[in-house]
Amino acid sequence: MKLTLQIVITDESGPSRTEELMTFQKSGDALNDIGLSVAESKQLLGTVQQSVVQQQADEYTHQHIQCPHCLAARRIKGRQKIQYRTLFGVTPVSGLRVYRCRCEENATKTVSLLSDWAGDHTHPALK
């Protein structure tokens, strides 16, 4: 039998989308193939963790792409990836680097939304 595991993501605005996490092929008659193996369980947990962390990063980016002072849209400088350390391993996360607004007083011209969101890229439980 074929098992497909999916996650349903519902945004605050209401629409839902389904993301396929992984597919397993299992046999009902093999004694050594009952349930999930340790490797399959670890793979599933890692995939769920990756999906959840990326969705959270996307939501944060969407909410903070505007200037926090005047609410003007900030220009995108580019995409970036970070490695976020969790209890379940290192998770790659994609996000945006944006130019600061003219009204923002700061020494740097750009800001990493992921660094604002993830701090030192380590889950608090690991500190």
Side-chain angles (χ1 to χ4, degrees):
M1 79 177 118
K2 178 179 169 183
L3 286 91
T4 302
L5 302 171
Q6 301 174 329
I7 187 170
V8 177
I9 302 152
T10 304
D11 293 331
E12 297 292 324
S13 59
S16 295
R17 65 183 186 280
T18 302
E19 182 179 310
E20 185 174 311
L21 296 179
M22 58 193 325
T23 302
F24 294 107
Q25 192 68 36
K26 290 289 180 181
S27 170
D29 58 342
L31 289 178
N32 60 351
D33 199 26
I34 297 174
L36 296 176
S37 68
V38 172
E40 290 167 335
S41 300
K42 287 181 179 181
Q43 182 183 5
L44 177 59
L45 184 57
T47 304
V48 170
Q49 181 76 327
Q50 166 65 37
S51 180
V52 170
V53 170
Q54 187 62 60
Q55 293 303 320
Q56 289 174 308
D58 291 346
E59 184 176 326
Y60 181 87
T61 299
H62 180 72
Q63 291 173 351
H64 292 86
I65 197 148
Q66 294 177 322
C67 171
H69 305 289
C70 69
L71 302 179
R74 297 190 277 192
R75 293 182 309 133
I76 297 171
K77 181 178 185 205
R79 296 204 155 276
Q80 71 174 130
K81 283 194 176 211
I82 64 167
Q83 300 294 316
Y84 188 73
R85 290 175 287 290
T86 72
L87 294 168
F88 307 108
V90 177
T91 302
V93 185
S94 299
L96 297 176
R97 185 164 197 82
V98 296
Y99 288 102
R100 290 190 187 275
C101 182
R102 290 183 186 139
C103 73
E104 292 181 85
E105 291 186 25
N106 201 299
T108 62
K109 291 184 179 184
T110 63
V111 63
S112 165
L113 296 178
L114 286 179
S115 290
D116 283 353
W117 173 70
D120 65 356
H121 305 186
T122 303
H123 190 276
L126 292 175
K127 296 176 185 176

